[in-house]
Amino acid sequence: ANGCIATSTPITNTVNALVSFNNRIVAGTQGGGAIFLTTNYGLNWTTKNEGMGNQTVYALLVTTDYIFAGINAGSSDIYRRNLSDFTSGIKIVSSEIPEKFDLYQNYPNPFNPTTKIIFDIPAHLVGQTFLSVYDVSGREIQTLVNEQLQPGTYEVTFDGSNLPSGIYFYKLMSGGFTNSKKMLLIK
């Protein structure tokens, strides 16, 4: 049957606002967590309300550098968060330009609940880069990177706190290069 499909979320309160950017969706809710983020179109959501308390979000706005949340905490308030808090957390870890693509084994492995994934983008290619995590059935769990990256060595942190123990795979795709590795989450 055609129609809407409910997403699986930890959101138990009324959603008042939604914004989308860079293949991410941010939801503002009626208290109880306030702001949630998904990077895989609603399959998984994480709480992103650090510093806000248990406020009700009535409006969200995305600019080049920030996300603004309009709340009501006894008076009209606006919270501002860096947009980087809602992106994949990519860090450049080396100023040297790699000669070839590479995807390294995550560390620590096994992990609980976070692990780091490092990959190289070589000098001869600047393009869209995708790094995603999959479960053993091949279902995409989370998109960690979906951005145009310059050559360099990058590090991304994956947080598996909302996932059960088990084997997961991460896959890097960029400019015709594809590689994947296996990782183990033990709780």
Side-chain angles (χ1 to χ4, degrees):
N2 293 333
C4 294
I5 298 171
T7 63
S8 169
T9 76
I11 302 172
T12 57
N13 295 335
T14 303
V15 175
N16 293 333
L18 289 168
V19 293
S20 175
F21 64 96
N22 296 342
N23 294 315
R24 290 158 173 76
I25 299 169
V26 176
T29 68
Q30 187 85 23
I35 295 182
F36 292 87
L37 167 71
T38 181
T39 60
N40 58 6
Y41 304 105
L43 291 175
N44 302 94
W45 295 79
T46 55
T47 305
K48 285 297 204 176
N49 67 323
E50 299 88 352
M52 284 187 58
N54 211 14
Q55 307 298 331
T56 295
V57 175
Y58 289 100
L60 293 168
L61 173 70
V62 176
T63 66
T64 304
D65 298 316
Y66 299 101
I67 289 184
F68 293 88
I71 66 158
N72 183 359
S75 62
S76 295
D77 286 333
I78 297 176
Y79 279 86
R80 181 183 81 184
R81 295 276 306 269
N82 287 325
L83 197 60
S84 62
D85 293 344
F86 292 86
T87 58
S88 57
I90 299 172
K91 291 191 324 188
I92 294 181
V93 294
S94 174
S95 57
E96 290 184 35
I97 304 298
E99 293 181 19
K100 63 182 181 72
F101 281 107
D102 211 346
L103 176 63
Y104 299 94
Q105 186 63 52
N106 65 301
Y107 70 92
N109 190 36
F111 67 99
N112 179 19
T114 62
T115 188
K116 297 192 182 308
I117 299 169
I118 295 178
F119 59 93
D120 292 336
I121 303 295
H124 65 275
L125 181 79
V126 175
Q128 196 71 14
T129 300
F130 302 93
L131 178 65
S132 297
V133 175
Y134 300 86
D135 64 15
V136 290
S137 68
R139 183 175 61 103
E140 184 175 342
I141 299 298
Q142 185 174 3
T143 300
L144 300 174
V145 177
N146 180 0
E147 297 177 30
Q148 185 161 336
L149 298 177
Q150 298 297 318
T153 299
Y154 294 88
E155 177 185 273
V156 179
T157 299
F158 172 64
D159 186 346
S161 12
N162 294 331
L163 299 172
S165 296
I167 296 172
Y168 294 88
F169 297 89
Y170 55 100
K171 179 177 178 181
L172 178 69
M173 295 183 296
S174 185
F177 173 83
T178 301
N179 195 356
S180 60
K181 303 266 185 197
K182 180 169 63 170
M183 60 184 172
L184 180 60
L185 172 61
I186 297 178
K187 292 187 172 180

